[in-house]
Every structure is written in C-alpha cells, then in structure tokens.
Amino acid sequence: MQELLNHSNEINEQLARYGVKFGIYKDGAFNERLFPFDPIPRQISQGDFKALEAGLVQRVRALNAFIHDIYHEKHIIRDGVVPEEFVYRSPGYLAQCEGATPPKLVYSHISGIDLVLGKDNEWYILEDNLRIPSGASYPLIARTLCRRCSPETFQKNKVADNRNYGMLLKRTMDYVNAGGINVVFTPGRYNAAYFEHSYLAEQSGAVLAESGDLFVENRVLYYRTDRDPVRVGALYRRVSDDYIDPLFFEPSSLIGIPNLMDAYMAGNVAVINAPGNGVADDKGIYYFVPKMISYYLQEEALLKNAPTYLPYFAADMSYVMANLDHLVIKDVAEAGGYGVIFGENLSLAQREELKKAIQLAPRRFIAQEVVDFQEMPVSEGGSLVERKADLRAFVLTGEDVTVWPSGLTRFSRDPDSFVVNSSQGGGFKDTWILCQ
Amino acid sequence: MGCELSFYFDVRLAFSAPVTEHNFLLRCIPADAPEQRILSYTLSILPRSAATGIGEDAFGNRYCSGRIESAHDEFRYTLQGTAYRDDTMRSKADPPGFYRYPSPLTRPTGELRAFFESVPQGGSPLEYAAGLSARVHEHFSYAPGSTAVSTTAGEALALSKGVCQDYAHVFIALCRMAGIPARYVSGLPVGEGASHAWAEVWADGLWHGIDPTRGCAAREGYLKLCVGRDYSDCPLERGVFSGSAMQTQAVFMKVTDQ
C-alpha cells in the first residue's frame, strides 16, 4: 500500500495526461471536473462481493423486466403495484418507445448502480443509473497505471483482475448484435467523457464513431468507410435519448443519427442502452424497485434501498411532515445532487416553506432517512483523513447478468458532505475485489 | 353512414443550392384504422435515387423513412389513394395511458389552469369536452403567422391567437386537466387545400373527433393522417440535409368525397 501512496503523484500526472476527467451526463448537461485519484483502494472480500453480486444481479433483472413491461403490457400498473402517474410523468419515460422491442429483450445492458456501505455494515442502494452510466474507465485505467508503477502490490494482495471489462463489454454487445459490427457512438471529441468513449472502444474492439460516420438507409444502420459502408449490428451510444435522432426526437440535434429509431424499431440494430430505459432510474420509481423484485421475480430484495417515503401516499406524507428535520428531501425533477435538501440544515421558516411545496406537489418529492455510511481513508497532503465514499457497481446484461469485479469508488472532498456526486467535486479510488 | 374519400397530395421542396445526405421522415400516409380503412395508396418520391422504408411508430402511424445521398435541388413526394371512413367502426380498445398526461407542447401553466377553471364543469365527458372546445373557439382568434410549430399551449393561450395547431394544443391541455384522454390529429377535411389539425377525446369507450378551430365535431369528412400526444409526435414531414440552401415549399393537397 505504501508503494502505491509513494506513486500517487506520478499516477495522477499520468491520468491528467490521458485526459481523465469526469463528466456526468444528466438531463442534457455535462459537468466536467478534474477527477483526482486516491491510491488507497476500497477492498471488498470475496464473501462480501458474492453477496453484493447476487443482490445486484437480482436488481438489474427486475429493472429490465420492469422496462419491458412498461413499454408493452403494463401489468405492474394494472395490478396496482406502481401508480401510473409515476410512469407517465417521469422525464425518463418516452412514449415514442411504446411497443419497441430490442434484440433479445435487453433494455439495460450496462447499468451503474450506486451504493453506500452503512455503519451497520450493510450495503444500501442510493440510485440506479440506467441511461448512460459513465465511469468504468477510471478504475480500469487507474489499475493499469498502478500495476505498472507497483507490480509487487498486486502479487502480494490477491486482487481479482478487473482488466476484463472490455471483454465483458464486447460480450454484451455481441449477444444483442443484430448483424454487423459493434460501434461506440460518441457525441465527439469535445465531449467531457470522450476519453472514456475512445478507451472503451479500444478495450472492447469496437469502432469509435460520431454522427457523421453513421447513416440509416432502408431501415439499416451503416458505418461509412473508404470503401463500401459496413452494417452496424450493435450501437453502444453515449448520446442521450433526446439527441440520438433528430427526426424522431429533438429536431435541432446535430450529434444524432437521422432515422436511427427507425432502424431500431425494425429490429435491425441493438441500441445500448435501449432508448426510454430512463423510466426505471427515476428517483420516484426507485421507491418501487424492491416491490418490482417481488412482483417480477417472486423473490425478496437482497439489497436494501435507503428508507424512502413518498409524500404521494397519505401515510408517508404525514411521516414526512412530522419528521422533516432529520430527513433528506430529493426533488425528483432535478439531478446531479443539487436538488438534495437536508432537513436539519433548514431554518424553521425554510422548513415550513418546503412543507408547503411538498403538499402542493407531492409527486415531485421523495424523502429519505439519512443513511450513516462508513468513511474511508483518503490521503490528503501526506496525511490520512476520513471521507464519505460510495461505490458505483457496473452490471452488464447479455446472456447472463454479470457484475464487473471492480467498480468506481467516489469520495467526497468536503469532510462534512454526505453527497458523493462527482459533479459536486470529489475524487475516486480503485475498487479491489479480493480473491478470498 | 360511411363514405369514401380520395386524396391527392403533391409536395415540392425546392432548394436554392444542391444539398446532399438528405434524410427524411414522412408521416403523410393516412393511418389505417378500423374507422378509416386505406383501400389503396401510392407514394412516389423524387429524386428516384431515394432509398426508403415503411414503418409504424409508437402512436400507430405509418411512416416513410428515407435517404437521398447524392446532390439534388428538389425533393418532391406525391401521394394518392382512397380511404373508407366509417365512424361506426371505431375501435373500443382502451387508449394508451400517455394520452391522459401532459406532453411537451401541452404542459399546464398557471394561465391554462385559470382558463380551465373558467369553464363550467358538467354533463357527460363528451359534453364537457365540447364545452371546452367551444370556449377555446370563442376565446381564440385565428391569426396565421402569430405562432410557430414549437409554440406551446401555454404560449398560445397567452397570445389568445394562433392557427389550428394552437387551438388543438390548448384544447388537448384542457381535456387532460379535466381527466379526459385526448390526442392530436393531423389531417385534412374535405374541401381544404392544406393540412389541418384537430383533436380526439376519449369518452364513453370511443374516440370522438372535435375541431376547436372550426368549433364543430370532426367526423367522416375528415381524413386522418397521423396522431400523437401533440404536434411534436407527428409532424407530417421532417428532414435534415447537408448543404447551405434556402428552402421553398409548394403544397397541393386535396381530399374529395364521392
């Protein structure tokens, strides 16, 4: 470990040279920050990982079943498990995707599930990211650099190799491929996550392409080459739903592919992740995920949600009104951590104002108990400090559902902050899954 | 009570300079539904090098997608055919849930809510909807050029004027506030020379056509081309191309009953 600490500056310099910045694409906007690396890894024992893995696989299977159901039969609404307005008012729900059936019925090929480890040693799910979860490249490249600086660290500590991510990604694309090559579709080099797009294309053996490199003809997607165009069978798109196709969605989009939705609906290309799957990672829908698990899989949820209340339900409303001072309130309409309000930080007047806002639009808010999660050591200016940290686990769905034996551990740089979102500043760590 | 409608559209788009890599999406092929059977249609597109496909979108509209790679300075499509309209054949299938909720161009605003509350409730859902339509019809003045295709219901109400699309959007927003499922319809009534927009509301287990611009019901004399939650779901034509050119459009559209 000391070895890695000694190389900290060197590794960060190399990351900066690679252009490793963190950009979170949410609600059509990029937040770009330098993303400092802390060499002390999060370590998860093999036993703990197995338990985590089972819970994540279960959760992603249920989410996938939910997305399929929502865009087809809607049993879960009819059976009264999820109120319909949580679906139809969700910004992630796209009526344009009704009836669309992706190859092999996979909707959430690459899921980024955010968790925290509570002081009670239990994992709690913070949120599901199903649209364009980014960040897998960071621990991947950090591991590569660490191995280069200090190979002996990885001989002494038996750490599961995480360099198979590219292979897992390729397997995910191959499984749903509708005939043709695999492409990583990027908005372009000015995008904050361009480094990740090019790196993942290289790692998975896919072609990296921008909108001008791709076109749809006769309901088939093609990649231009110097010679004949080549058919594309799987498109790992890193462009958000609104902008992927100027003819079916936002007409002003210059980074989309005209008629991509036409090729997709004809079943001629797999779009990874499937358009419209954001309906399942909505903050309001989060509340219902444990119910989805029992509804679709007839299983009890293995991983816990943070205790959550929906003011939409009368009983929850009275609880929230009575306990606002110790709850976290999240505005469902906002993302990126800015719409998160801690009741204890509000003045009496502000608290009353928030209560009124909640009563006026109950569907717009969720309330959660503050999960007291474990801190992790972070090296800061030569000494160790304790900081809050979360974990983004990457779950890939192909023929099987696989959890990547690693993950992105993000920590808050502000000692008082519970918000570990990189758009609020913060750094990252590698995540080691130990072989025993 | 049904009637046969023949339709003929000829739409020409002229570019001031050649364009390439032209991708388009046409929703002008009339929807084939129980109350409107398409007996025959022929769609032809110029230039002939256009590569096209026919698909069906999430709202049940038949569309033509296409691409013209090589340089051209004119794009033209003609569509002719016949439809059999019979409102007694309307489907009784439940409407999709999304027709009950706000859509991008019909989101409620404070002004829309106030306007909505000024209309007395009462009667059956269909009578209530007809009352809302009458209120829109009398409140709005028809003023071409005062609004654009992206104008929302809230913006149109603030102006109190607009074209058929705006009348339809405001009416649809009001219906959804009243809990009545409503959808936007693009099409052509017999005798009109350009496309028109109206709405359908779901009441008593059926869709009913209501035309707030004309202040009347929209029945068999209306040829339906496409439907959606609002205009943004079903523009008759959309296109993107490479090149710097001005576009001018010449439209001939005609529907006749026999």
Side-chain angles (χ1 to χ4, degrees), chain B residues 4 11 14 26 40 45 70 73 84 98 103 107 120 124 129 142 151 160 167 179 198 200 204 213 228 243-244 258:
Chain B
E4 205 167 292
V11 179
L26 307 176
S40 67
I45 290 168
S70 54
D73 55 14
Y84 187 74
F98 53 73
S103 56
R107 294 199 193 293
S124 69
Y142 192 84
T151 302
S160 292
Y167 282 73
W198 62 95
E200 286 182 340
D204 311 320
T213 310
S244 160
Q258 289 151 351

Side-chain angles (χ1 to χ4, degrees), chain A residues 3-153:
Chain A
E3 264 299 297
L4 287 177
L5 282 170
N6 295 343
H7 287 99
S8 180
N9 285 342
E10 195 182 329
I11 293 166
N12 267 301
E13 272 164 30
Q14 292 194 42
L15 287 169
R17 215 175 62 203
Y18 272 104
V20 177
K21 290 175 183 168
F22 201 89
I24 278 204
Y25 199 105
K26 255 185 175 172
D27 298 339
F30 264 108
N31 293 298
E32 185 182 10
R33 301 286 157 98
L34 262 181
F35 201 36
F37 172 68
D38 181 76
I40 308 166
R42 178 198 286 278
Q43 300 187 39
I44 300 174
S45 74
Q46 185 59 217
D48 288 351
F49 180 69
K50 283 289 164 215
L52 191 56
E53 186 179 37
L56 289 167
V57 166
Q58 178 194 54
R59 190 168 179 100
V60 168
R61 282 175 59 215
L63 288 167
N64 205 69
F66 174 71
I67 303 165
H68 179 74
D69 190 23
I70 286 308
Y71 288 111
H72 295 85
E73 300 297 319
K74 303 173 180 62
H75 294 295
I76 201 163
I77 295 177
R78 282 192 218 157
D79 289 342
V81 179
V82 176
E84 66 166 28
E85 64 172 303
F86 279 83
V87 172
Y88 294 124
R89 288 189 197 274
S90 159
Y93 166 78
L94 297 179
Q96 294 93 331
C97 296
E98 280 288 342
T101 303
K104 308 269 171 73
L105 300 187
V106 182
Y107 293 82
S108 190
H109 310 76
I110 299 148
S111 314
I113 311 295
D114 293 349
L115 310 105
V116 290
L117 190 56
K119 289 212 165 124
D120 56 2
N121 254 334
E122 289 237 38
W123 288 101
Y124 290 89
I125 305 279
L126 277 189
E127 61 181 29
D128 305 293
N129 296 277
L130 305 188
R131 282 169 273 187
I132 312 176
S134 59
S137 63
Y138 305 103
L140 193 53
I141 190 160
R143 179 80 61 91
T144 307
L145 294 175
C146 290
R147 290 184 82 105
R148 205 176 289 159
C149 289
S150 173
E152 57 281 11
T153 303

Side-chain angles (χ1 to χ4, degrees), chain A residues 170-277:
Chain A
K170 176 175 164 31
R171 221 166 60 185
T172 301
M173 291 193 268
D174 285 347
Y175 178 65
V176 293
N177 189 301
I181 59 168
N182 294 331
V183 166
V184 174
F185 171 37
T186 173
R189 65 182 64 251
Y190 298 108
N191 185 288
Y194 186 72
F195 159 75
E196 172 154 304
H197 306 161
S198 59
Y199 190 72
L200 293 181
E202 182 192 314
Q203 294 293 310
S204 63
V207 169
L208 181 69
E210 298 179 24
S211 73
D213 302 321
L214 299 159
F215 67 88
V216 171
E217 190 169 288
N218 294 321
R219 316 192 77 193
V220 173
L221 179 65
Y222 292 97
Y223 172 70
R224 286 176 216 276
T225 69
D226 294 339
R227 309 178 67 181
D228 287 337
V230 180
R231 187 176 163 160
V232 179
L235 187 76
Y236 177 19
R237 49 81 180 228
R238 298 295 300 250
V239 173
S240 70
D241 285 348
D242 290 353
Y243 292 91
I244 50 169
D245 180 347
L247 296 181
F248 277 82
F249 296 108
E250 176 53 47
S252 65
S253 172
L254 298 174
I255 54 174
I257 306 165
N259 282 326
L260 173 63
M261 278 299 283
D262 180 36
Y264 168 65
M265 290 193 298
N268 292 333
V269 65
V271 176
I272 298 166
N273 291 339
N277 82 349

Side-chain angles (χ1 to χ4, degrees), chain B residues 2-258:
Chain B
C3 71
E4 205 167 292
L5 302 177
S6 359
F7 49 92
Y8 178 71
F9 311 148
D10 182 359
V11 179
R12 302 166 78 143
L13 211 56
F15 301 102
S16 60
V19 301
T20 58
E21 193 55 50
H22 181 173
N23 293 277
F24 57 86
L25 183 63
L26 307 176
R27 284 193 177 84
C28 58
I29 306 169
D32 189 37
E35 74 281 9
Q36 176 177 289
R37 284 283 165 221
I38 304 308
L39 306 177
S40 67
Y41 80 92
T42 320
L43 173 67
S44 43
I45 290 168
L46 288 175
R48 294 211 183 280
S49 60
T52 59
I54 298 287
E56 192 184 308
D57 71 13
F59 308 98
N61 303 310
R62 193 148 43 168
Y63 62 75
C64 171
S65 62
R67 172 172 183 259
I68 306 158
E69 189 185 5
S70 54
H72 55 287
D73 55 14
E74 191 187 53
F75 173 63
R76 179 176 182 181
Y77 61 92
T78 55
L79 178 75
Q80 59 181 321
T82 52
Y84 187 74
R85 280 286 269 120
D86 182 355
D87 271 356
T88 63
M89 298 300 290
R90 281 172 293 176
S91 161
K92 290 190 162 56
D94 279 345
F98 53 73
Y99 286 131
R100 285 195 292 272
Y101 290 88
S103 56
L105 297 176
T106 64
R107 294 199 193 293
T109 61
E111 219 171 326
L112 272 166
R113 278 195 200 92
F115 188 72
F116 170 68
E117 275 151 24
S118 75
V119 184
Q121 269 191 52
S124 69
L126 188 57
E127 284 162 355
Y128 188 13
L132 292 167
S133 169
R135 182 81 176 92
V136 174
H137 180 71
E138 72 184 27
H139 181 81
F140 266 68
S141 47
Y142 192 84
S146 57
T147 55
V149 290
S150 57
T151 302
T152 63
E155 291 162 356
L157 182 65
L159 291 169
S160 292
K161 57 185 178 183
V163 295
C164 53
Q165 174 183 317
D166 306 301
Y167 282 73
H169 281 159
V170 173
F171 173 58
I172 290 166
L174 299 176
C175 289
R176 291 182 187 156
M177 281 183 223
I180 303 170
R183 66 183 181 189
Y184 183 92
V185 188
S186 249
L188 211 68
V190 170
E192 288 232 0
S195 67
H196 187 57
W198 62 95
E200 286 182 340
V201 298
W202 179 263
D204 311 320
L206 291 169
W207 285 112
H208 302 267
I210 293 182
D211 182 345
T213 310
R214 292 174 161 191
C216 62
R219 297 206 177 96
E220 277 127 352
Y222 283 69
L223 178 73
K224 298 197 275 184
L225 298 180
C226 52
V227 299
R229 291 166 303 166
D230 60 39
Y231 168 81
S232 67
D233 284 336
C234 54
L236 290 184
E237 175 204 319
R238 247 185 202 177
V240 288
F241 52 80
S242 287
S244 160
M246 302 282 287
Q247 302 177 56
T248 44
Q249 199 184 40
V251 181
F252 179 86
M253 294 182 117
K254 193 176 177 186
V255 177
T256 50
D257 51 355
Q258 289 151 351

